[in-house]
Amino acid sequence: MTEAASIYPPLEQRPVKNTICLFDVDGTLTPARRMVSPEMLQLLSVLRHKCAIGFVGGSDLVKQQEQLGTPSILVTSLFDFCFAENGLTAYRLGKPLASQSFISWLGEDKYKELVNFCLRYISELDIPIKRGTFIEFRNGMINISPIGRNASIIERNEYEKYDLQHKIRQKFVDALKAKFGHLGLTYSIGGQISFDVFPAGWNKTYCLLHITAEKELSGVDYRTIHFFGDKTYKGGNDYEIFEDSRTIGHAVSSPDDTMRELKQLFGL
């Protein structure tokens, strides 16, 4: 997988025709917010010789570089398609595609009202611990974390258990829906400690616009789109693309489970 992208066959010459595998990142290719294993990268490299591959995650490209790439290897060279922030920031064969902006869509005044409400809500939450970076602004969305994104891995693991029991994130989402139902926003719980807020339709299915556009660029019509994700339940950030009629959804429980599915599906 660390080899130059040029060693892979052109998209139109991949042996498994008109097929692409798309992967969620956290819990699918990597443990949550941790680095990908060499074994996963090697398997993806073998798969890339057979069909197109891509990832689609809610985080920004910087975080995906940390998890999937290395200081000397760009993540955009390791996949044919890289979809950060659900595809609102996108790369095809290492080159950037058109992007979208959450702040431009929503407007500064409405954005400030939303952020102020969230900060007040978090300030009144009584949870075991709080750290820092409770709201992270991204190009195509905002990410909200009741505990704060600066939490350590151990703190994240403990909070995830607490959240599953007390439904902190779900109650937060419910409050936002009640207050800002008129704004046309979607709330998607993903990972261990946070949830994303973005315009309706800007979930992970957004990346499929780039996939279908490939027919005009290279002539490849991706009629078979496999998607692998761990948060495929309703309300999870993989749900919409998992259920979409254009994809074949594979619910996985861990990176090891993803590798097992790929080996079985493609005879790797």
Side-chain angles (χ1 to χ4, degrees):
M1 196 73 170
T2 59
E3 301 160 291
S6 59
I7 70 145
Y8 297 99
L11 295 175
E12 63 273 17
Q13 294 179 21
R14 303 286 167 94
V16 183
K17 300 294 185 184
N18 303 312
T19 298
I20 183 170
C21 288
L22 294 176
F23 303 91
D24 166 55
V25 181
D26 281 341
T28 301
L29 292 181
T30 77
R33 290 299 300 132
R34 299 173 74 177
M35 291 183 65
V36 68
S37 70
E39 293 79 12
M40 176 66 82
L41 288 178
Q42 180 58 39
L43 188 67
L44 291 174
S45 178
V46 175
L47 178 62
R48 194 176 179 188
H49 281 281
K50 289 178 171 284
C51 67
I53 66 170
F55 69 79
V56 51
S59 295
D60 58 32
L61 193 64
V62 172
K63 293 183 180 64
Q64 289 154 353
Q65 173 66 37
E66 292 171 354
Q67 290 179 258
L68 299 172
T70 72
S72 60
I73 303 172
L74 293 176
V75 67
T76 52
S77 71
L78 300 179
F79 294 81
D80 300 302
F81 296 91
C82 300
F83 299 125
E85 302 182 49
N86 296 346
L88 299 168
T89 298
Y91 283 75
R92 173 190 180 271
L93 300 177
K95 304 295 183 183
L97 300 172
S99 63
Q100 291 280 7
S101 168
F102 176 69
I103 197 75
S104 297
W105 180 89
L106 186 61
E108 190 65 49
D109 289 341
K110 292 177 182 177
Y111 174 72
K112 286 191 293 185
E113 183 184 1
L114 176 65
V115 168
N116 288 342
F117 178 89
C118 290
L119 291 174
R120 282 194 300 270
Y121 188 97
I122 291 170
S123 73
E124 296 171 0
L125 272 179
D126 184 15
I127 56 178
I129 63 170
K130 294 180 183 178
R131 291 299 179 254
T133 311
F134 300 102
I135 299 177
E136 182 176 79
F137 176 76
R138 300 173 181 171
N139 186 54
M141 66 182 73
I142 59 172
N143 178 266
I144 300 171
S145 175
I147 185 179
R149 296 192 61 85
N150 291 352
S152 69
I153 290 174
I154 293 175
E155 290 166 344
R156 286 166 178 259
N157 291 340
E158 288 301 312
Y159 174 80
E160 183 179 29
K161 296 174 187 175
Y162 184 86
D163 188 81
L164 285 171
Q165 181 181 356
H166 297 280
K167 308 295 182 185
I168 303 299
R169 287 182 292 176
Q170 187 58 59
K171 292 174 183 176
F172 200 160
V173 166
D174 291 342
L176 285 166
K177 287 180 177 179
K179 176 69 175 179
F180 298 102
H182 61 290
L183 292 185
L185 296 172
T186 294
Y187 306 88
S188 182
I189 297 172
Q192 295 177 292
I193 63 169
S194 64
F195 60 92
D196 297 327
V197 182
F198 47 83
W202 287 20
N203 53 53
K204 287 185 179 179
T205 61
Y206 189 91
C207 77
L208 300 178
L209 296 174
H210 297 296
I211 298 300
T212 55
E214 186 61 30
K215 186 176 182 180
E216 301 298 322
L217 294 174
S218 67
V220 179
D221 182 10
Y222 287 115
R223 296 190 296 271
T224 302
I225 304 172
H226 294 280
F227 172 76
F228 299 80
D230 66 317
K231 297 291 191 299
T232 57
Y233 49 82
K234 191 169 184 178
N237 64 354
D238 296 324
Y239 175 76
E240 289 85 2
I241 190 169
F242 178 80
E243 291 288 336
D244 194 282
S245 62
R246 293 167 290 181
T247 69
I248 300 170
H250 304 266
V252 297
S253 58
S254 67
D256 286 342
D257 195 23
T258 302
M259 289 192 285
R260 282 192 293 270
E261 285 265 350
L262 288 175
K263 290 174 183 178
Q264 183 176 14
L265 190 60
F266 291 97
L268 301 177

